[in-house]
């Protein structure tokens, strides 16, 4: 039991009810001594009112939230167009480029060992630079199309904030830094990484000639699934790397087809192609098929790391299923918590707008 004192009042609360009441109190802001309406003892009842909570949430978000877009907006005016050109305000693309690298680096780790932290850091830097270079190339190719689409009309080159020459110089700087990252790897990986440049340069043109530009993007964005393994081991084990690469390509087809549905009406008007336009109302069955193919590829990649002639490796793979189950559980829990948090934030914004 817990004894709670509020002013001159004293109340005994059983511990079963304590948590919910303390949680309610923790979400409220204390309004000290506003004057009229305060109960005996000098403490205001507004401390117990849920209506005080939205203001507290808003203040908390303003104090502690850090967004990439806000950081770019606070940058000097002369730097801001370059940051927007490399999509520093939208880091989701960098994550989607980086994650396949982390998969292969983790798979290449010795049994019982964590992934190589230095390689994870190096590939993170490479992902930022190469994603920025890819976006710069894309905007240089697509400046005329971007001006005709409301979502892309404000991009730096299309809007006239940067010239083609300025973008070209900036592209050279990004590629030079990315080359410096690549040269930190072994010779096999250097050659393998250089081979991806053809895809990086030609991808933006694919939407003009095929309904499958998302497939070419998948081939480009998941090159790290090959490169991460070779950076650790010195070469690619194709029995592992190819299924992993294939899964990444299927993954890209899923998320970029969804992304392409944003622009399908504009794409029709200006004559561009995408899987969204090809699949149309049949998009969902196609996405289910891509998902099944992705999971099959990941399963094959995982299975081929197994050495069936080593009992200790068999045991480790068996025990790892506990970790897989825990990851699925944590993913579900975090997803539900995030969903609730987003709903609360949306409610706060509605109430305070």
């Amino acid at each position: 039991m817990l004894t709670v004192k509020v002013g001159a009042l004293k109340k005994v609360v059983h511990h079963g009810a304590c948590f919910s009441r303390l949680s309610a109190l923790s979400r409220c802001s204390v309004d000290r001594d506003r004057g009229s309406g305060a109960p005996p003892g000098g403490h205001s009842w507004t401390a117990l009112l849920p209506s005080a909570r939205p203001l507290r949430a808003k203040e908390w978000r303003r104090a502690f939230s850090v967004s990439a877009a806000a950081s770019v907006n606070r940058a000097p005016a002369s730097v801001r167009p370059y940051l927007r050109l490399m999509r520093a305000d939208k880091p989701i693309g960098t994550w989607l480029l980086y994650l396949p690298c982390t998969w292969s680096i983790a798979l290449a780790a010795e049994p019982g060992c964590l992934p190589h932290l230095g390689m994870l850091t190096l590939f993170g830097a490479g992902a930022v630079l190469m994603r920025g270079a890819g976006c710069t190339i894309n905007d240089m190719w697509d400046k005329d199309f971007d001006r005709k689409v409301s979502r892309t009309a404000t991009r730096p080159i299309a809007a006239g904030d940067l010239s083609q020459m300025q973008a070209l110089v900036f592209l050279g700087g990004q590629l030079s830094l990315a080359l410096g990252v690549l040269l930190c790897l072994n010779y096999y990986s250097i050659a393998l990484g250089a081979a991806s440049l053809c895809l990086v340069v030609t991808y933006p043109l694919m939407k003009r000639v095929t309904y499958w530009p998302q497939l070419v993007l998948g081939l480009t964005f998941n090159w790290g699934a090959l490169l991460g393994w070779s950076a650790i081991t010195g070469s690619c084990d194709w029995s592992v790397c190819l299924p992993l690469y294939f899964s990444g390509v299927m993954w890209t087809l899923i998320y970029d087809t969804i992304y392409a549905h944003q622009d399908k009406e504009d794409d029709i008007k200006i004559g561009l192609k995408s899987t969204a336009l090809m699949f149309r109302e049949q998009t969902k069955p196609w996405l289910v098929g891509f998902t099944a193919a992705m999971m099959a590829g990941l399963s094959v990649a995982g299975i081929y790391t197994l050495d069936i002639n080593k009992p200790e490796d068999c045991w480790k793979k068996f025990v790892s299923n506990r970790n897989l189950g825990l990851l699925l559980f944590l993913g579900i829990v975090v997803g539900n918590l995030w969903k609730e948090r987003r709903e609360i934030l949306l409610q706060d914004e509605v109430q305070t707008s």
Side-chain angles (χ1 to χ4, degrees):
M1 291 191 296
L2 178 68
T3 301
V4 180
K5 290 186 178 182
V6 180
L9 301 178
K10 180 178 179 181
K11 189 172 183 178
V12 178
V13 182
H14 288 278
H15 70 275
C18 181
F19 177 77
S20 61
R21 299 188 185 194
L22 288 177
S23 296
L25 284 169
S26 67
R27 292 195 301 265
C28 302
S29 58
V30 177
D31 186 2
R32 295 188 178 181
D33 301 330
R34 281 190 170 177
S36 62
H43 295 276
S44 172
W45 289 114
T46 56
L48 303 178
L49 291 177
S51 59
R53 183 181 162 282
L55 182 60
R56 179 72 171 271
K58 185 177 180 181
E59 292 174 345
W60 183 89
R61 290 198 306 275
R62 186 184 300 116
F64 296 101
S65 63
V66 177
S67 71
S71 299
V72 169
N73 289 335
R74 286 194 292 266
S78 59
V79 176
R80 206 175 301 147
Y82 293 97
L83 294 176
R84 290 176 53 230
L85 181 61
M86 65 182 297
R87 307 290 195 275
D89 56 332
K90 298 176 181 177
I92 177 60
T94 303
W95 279 109
L96 296 174
L97 179 62
Y98 176 58
L99 287 171
C101 307
T102 66
W103 301 344
S104 59
I105 291 172
L107 278 173
E110 292 293 328
C113 296
L114 292 172
H116 194 290
L117 182 58
M119 282 297 174
L120 289 174
T121 304
L122 197 64
F123 273 73
V128 172
L129 293 167
M130 286 307 298
R131 195 267 178 135
C135 290
T136 303
I137 293 170
N138 181 81
D139 287 8
M140 291 175 70
W141 281 120
D142 287 354
K143 67 180 189 305
D144 294 329
F145 290 117
D146 286 344
R147 294 186 182 116
K148 301 175 183 178
V149 178
S150 57
R151 187 178 63 82
T152 59
T154 58
R155 287 178 176 174
I157 300 177
D161 297 331
L162 292 176
S163 67
Q164 286 278 72
M165 181 55 66
Q166 287 174 310
L168 183 62
V169 172
F170 184 55
L171 174 62
Q174 291 176 94
L175 291 176
S176 297
L177 291 173
L179 177 62
V181 172
L182 186 63
L183 292 176
C184 295
L185 307 180
N186 54 63
Y187 290 124
Y188 184 101
S189 299
I190 291 172
L192 185 63
S196 69
L197 279 178
C198 180
L199 289 169
V200 173
V201 173
T202 58
Y203 157 68
L205 299 175
M206 293 299 106
K207 66 189 77 172
R208 296 164 170 81
V209 298
T210 178
Y211 281 101
W212 289 90
Q214 281 70 30
L215 176 61
V216 181
L217 179 67
L219 296 173
T220 308
F221 251 48
N222 294 281
W223 203 259
L226 308 176
L227 194 58
W229 184 282
S230 70
I232 298 295
T233 65
S235 63
C236 284
D237 181 345
W238 297 109
S239 65
V240 176
C241 292
L242 280 181
L244 188 65
Y245 184 53
F246 172 79
S247 295
V249 173
M250 293 298 104
W251 184 44
T252 302
L253 279 168
I254 296 167
Y255 65 68
D256 208 54
T257 296
I258 296 171
Y259 183 86
H261 271 278
Q262 299 176 103
D263 299 330
K264 56 188 175 184
E265 293 181 2
D266 290 316
D267 287 347
I268 292 172
K269 293 176 183 176
I270 59 182
L272 296 181
K273 300 176 175 67
S274 70
T275 49
L277 292 179
M278 185 174 69
F279 301 155
R280 296 183 182 270
E281 297 304 317
Q282 296 301 311
T283 292
K284 290 181 180 179
W286 277 94
L287 294 182
V288 170
F290 293 146
T291 303
M294 174 189 170
M295 297 307 297
L298 289 174
S299 299
V300 171
I303 288 170
Y304 271 89
T305 62
L306 169 67
D307 189 340
I308 59 175
N309 296 313
K310 286 186 177 180
E312 61 274 17
D313 192 48
C314 293
W315 172 252
K316 287 178 180 177
K317 294 295 191 296
F318 170 73
V319 171
S320 69
N321 284 277
R322 174 202 61 193
N323 300 334
L324 175 61
L326 287 173
L327 285 173
L328 289 172
F329 168 71
L330 290 174
I332 293 169
V333 171
V334 172
N336 285 333
L337 291 174
W338 179 250
K339 179 181 177 182
E340 182 182 2
R341 180 175 179 271
R342 285 182 62 85
E343 290 175 350
I344 291 172
L345 294 179
L346 287 172
Q347 291 173 2
D348 292 347
E349 290 174 0
V350 170
Q351 292 177 12
T352 56
S353 61

